[in-house]
């Protein structure tokens, strides 16, 4: 007896059958079925009816490509990755995943660990190819889930990894004087800061505030230090800012880079104070302060109040810089500190 198999559109193949000892039942094996076919059993010049073999394959990934389109303004090129399942992208980038399958499917989607999914659409002009474009916010792992017309799913959903590199704000650090200063009204005060950013600094400058007036000051680039951080600075003409003896000048350095949305993002540095001293006191103060790290505050209760108020101003400034990231407890501490200082000021006024 033989099993006679005729593939669809092909030639018949015969496979011998054998019986087990005296058992009248014959058995045989067809080693491979490559597609739909028909078969019958032939024996002693006779044959059985014709039967059909209908085959199917589970949906399966054959190839995956990706494209990373960074936000405009960053100066980064579109990146194309061929035959990959791992993608690295700068925050704010659009990522396109394109997959080629072994067959046409009813559904294809990327599913993250939390169960959220992104459907893939058929790509025009590309057979068995599907794609999705989305904006990943965090690094994550995804699985490609497939389903064919008979509701059959892929057996082992392949894993894709997308790593999102956060677009960090530019860092601003004051190098000189790096503390509150006590210049005279007729001298120039030098400042220097260092800047660094993962994608590059666009612009930088400084802001001075004195007598309820703000002034923008341009800074010059002074090259990079050994760590690759850019140094910027300037000599500030306090007389040109209309600063007078006993004025308190607030100042800070700012820098701009490109944020995740492709727009310019300004980042202010720490705020510092400069107490403008009369010119004739400058030499005496320099001698008194030689070797000291910080300028001493004015003496007495008034000086203590001034220093505490400056601490609150600096803390409030830092909360403003943090924006929505600022902790509620920190805000409450600053508010309570301001209330304490206001109470101390009232008591001092009553004693005067």
């Amino acid at each position: 007896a033989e099993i006679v198999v005729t593939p669809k559109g092909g030639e018949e193949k015969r496979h011998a059958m054998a019986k087990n000892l005296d058992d009248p039942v014959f058995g045989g094996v067809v080693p491979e079925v490559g597609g739909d076919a028909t078969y019958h059993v032939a024996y002693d010049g006779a044959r059985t009816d014709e039967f059909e073999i209908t085959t199917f394959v589970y949906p399966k990934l054959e190839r995956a490509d990706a494209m990373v389109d960074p936000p405009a303004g960053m100066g980064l090129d579109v990146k194309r990755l061929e035959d990959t399942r791992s993608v690295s992208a700068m925050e704010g980038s659009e990522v396109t995943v394109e997959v080629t399958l072994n067959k046409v499917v009813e559904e294809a989607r990327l599913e993250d660990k939390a169960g959220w999914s992104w459907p893939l659409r058929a790509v025009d002009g590309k057979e068995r190819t599907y794609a999705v474009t989305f904006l990943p916010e965090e690094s994550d792992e995804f699985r490609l889930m497939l389903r064919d017309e008979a509701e059959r799913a892929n057996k082992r959903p392949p894993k894709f990894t997308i790593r999102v590199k956060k677009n960090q704000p530019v860092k601003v650090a004051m190098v000189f004087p790096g503390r509150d200063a006590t210049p005279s009204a007729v001298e120039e005060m030098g400042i220097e800061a260092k800047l660094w950013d993962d994608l590059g600094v666009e612009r930088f400058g400084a802001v001075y505030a004195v007598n309820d007036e703000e002034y923008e000051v341009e800074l010059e680039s002074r090259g990079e230090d050994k760590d690759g951080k850019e140094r910027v600075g300037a000599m500030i003409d306090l007389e040109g800012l209309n600063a007078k003896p006993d004025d308190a000048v607030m100042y800070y350095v700012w820098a701009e880079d490109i944020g995740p949305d492709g727009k310019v993002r300004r980042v202010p540095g720490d705020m510092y104070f400069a107490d403008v001293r009369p010119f004739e006191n400058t030499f005496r103060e320099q001698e008194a302060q030689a070797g000291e790290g910080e300028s001493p505050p004015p003496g007495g209760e008034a000086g203590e109040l001034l220093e505490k108020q400056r601490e609150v101003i600096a803390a409030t400034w830092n909360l403003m810089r943090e924006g929505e990231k600022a902790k509620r407890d920190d805000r409450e501490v600053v508010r309570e500190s301001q209330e304490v200082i206001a109470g101390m000021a009232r008591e001092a006024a009553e004693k005067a």
Side-chain angles (χ1 to χ4, degrees):
E2 294 177 313
I3 304 174
V4 182
V5 180
T6 306
K8 187 176 181 179
E11 298 181 356
E12 69 176 33
K13 295 181 180 180
R14 293 176 175 266
H15 306 275
M17 303 179 68
K19 69 175 183 175
N20 186 14
L21 301 176
D22 294 331
D23 194 334
V25 177
F26 285 74
V29 175
V30 178
E32 181 180 359
V33 178
D36 293 350
T38 60
Y39 75 95
H40 64 269
V41 175
Y43 60 97
D44 295 335
R47 55 169 289 175
T48 64
D49 293 334
E50 200 79 13
F51 299 94
E52 291 188 356
I53 300 175
T54 302
T55 61
F56 71 91
V57 291
Y58 287 99
K60 184 176 66 173
L61 173 69
E62 290 188 343
R63 176 190 173 98
D65 301 318
M67 181 176 71
V68 179
D69 188 3
M74 287 189 176
L76 300 177
D77 296 328
V78 174
K79 182 168 59 175
R80 302 180 186 277
L81 305 170
E82 297 184 351
D83 199 11
T84 184
R85 299 185 189 181
S86 180
V87 177
S88 295
M90 178 60 67
E91 181 183 11
S93 299
E94 280 191 345
V95 174
T96 298
V97 176
E98 184 177 279
V99 300
T100 301
L101 310 178
N102 63 330
K103 61 186 293 186
V104 175
V105 296
E106 287 293 313
E107 180 188 38
R109 56 188 170 87
L110 286 178
E111 184 177 284
D112 67 11
K113 291 180 178 179
W116 295 96
S117 62
W118 290 260
L120 282 76
R121 307 298 183 191
V123 178
D124 293 338
K126 292 186 177 181
E127 188 178 1
R128 299 177 284 109
T129 301
Y130 302 80
V132 61
T133 298
F134 63 111
L135 194 73
E137 296 180 355
E138 302 286 344
S139 297
D140 208 343
E141 289 184 355
F142 302 82
R143 293 197 177 275
L144 178 63
M145 313 301 291
L146 306 173
R147 180 175 59 83
D148 67 12
E149 75 286 349
E151 300 296 324
R152 290 183 287 258
N154 48 337
K155 287 292 189 181
R156 297 179 181 84
K159 182 175 69 175
F160 290 81
T161 301
I162 297 181
R163 297 179 179 86
V164 177
K165 181 181 179 181
K166 288 298 183 180
N167 181 352
Q168 300 293 340
V170 58
K171 304 294 190 301
V172 181
M174 188 71 76
V175 176
F176 181 84
R179 58 179 174 80
D180 292 346
T182 56
S184 74
V186 296
E187 71 176 286
E188 290 186 324
M189 186 177 74
I191 63 169
E192 185 170 285
K194 58 182 178 181
L195 318 171
W196 64 100
D197 186 62
D198 48 3
L199 292 173
V201 179
E202 295 291 313
R203 293 176 62 236
F204 48 81
V207 172
Y208 279 72
V210 57
N211 296 324
D212 297 325
E213 295 287 340
E214 277 197 0
Y215 302 88
E216 284 272 356
V217 180
E218 292 186 2
L219 303 181
E220 61 181 10
S221 176
R222 296 178 176 175
E224 294 185 352
D225 60 17
K226 61 181 181 180
D227 297 326
K229 297 173 181 177
E230 184 175 8
R231 286 182 174 259
V232 298
M235 298 298 294
I236 309 302
D237 180 9
L238 295 178
E239 190 174 13
L241 298 179
N242 298 319
K244 298 177 177 57
D246 296 325
D247 279 346
V249 180
M250 294 184 294
Y251 65 98
Y252 64 91
V253 173
W254 57 264
E256 293 178 347
D257 66 352
I258 302 299
D261 56 1
K263 297 179 181 179
V264 173
R265 171 176 56 187
R266 175 172 289 200
V267 177
D270 291 334
M271 178 178 287
Y272 293 89
F273 295 88
D275 290 318
V276 181
R277 298 303 185 205
F279 178 74
E280 60 271 13
N281 292 347
T282 301
F283 297 106
R284 291 196 297 271
E285 289 177 0
Q286 288 176 344
E287 292 175 357
Q289 296 169 17
E292 296 182 7
E294 294 186 3
S295 304
E301 189 174 3
E304 182 182 353
L305 278 174
L306 177 60
E307 285 304 304
K308 289 183 178 297
Q309 184 61 66
R310 286 182 175 179
E311 290 174 1
V312 171
I313 292 174
T316 303
W317 175 253
N318 290 333
L319 290 176
M320 292 173 59
R321 291 165 59 195
E322 293 177 8
E324 296 179 355
K325 295 181 180 179
K327 296 180 180 179
R328 183 175 180 179
D329 289 347
D330 292 342
R331 292 174 177 160
E332 188 64 22
V333 169
V334 171
R335 185 187 66 79
E336 291 175 355
S337 298
Q338 183 60 65
E339 291 178 353
V340 170
I341 293 172
M344 294 173 63
R346 285 193 294 269
E347 291 179 5
E350 291 172 358
K351 293 178 182 178

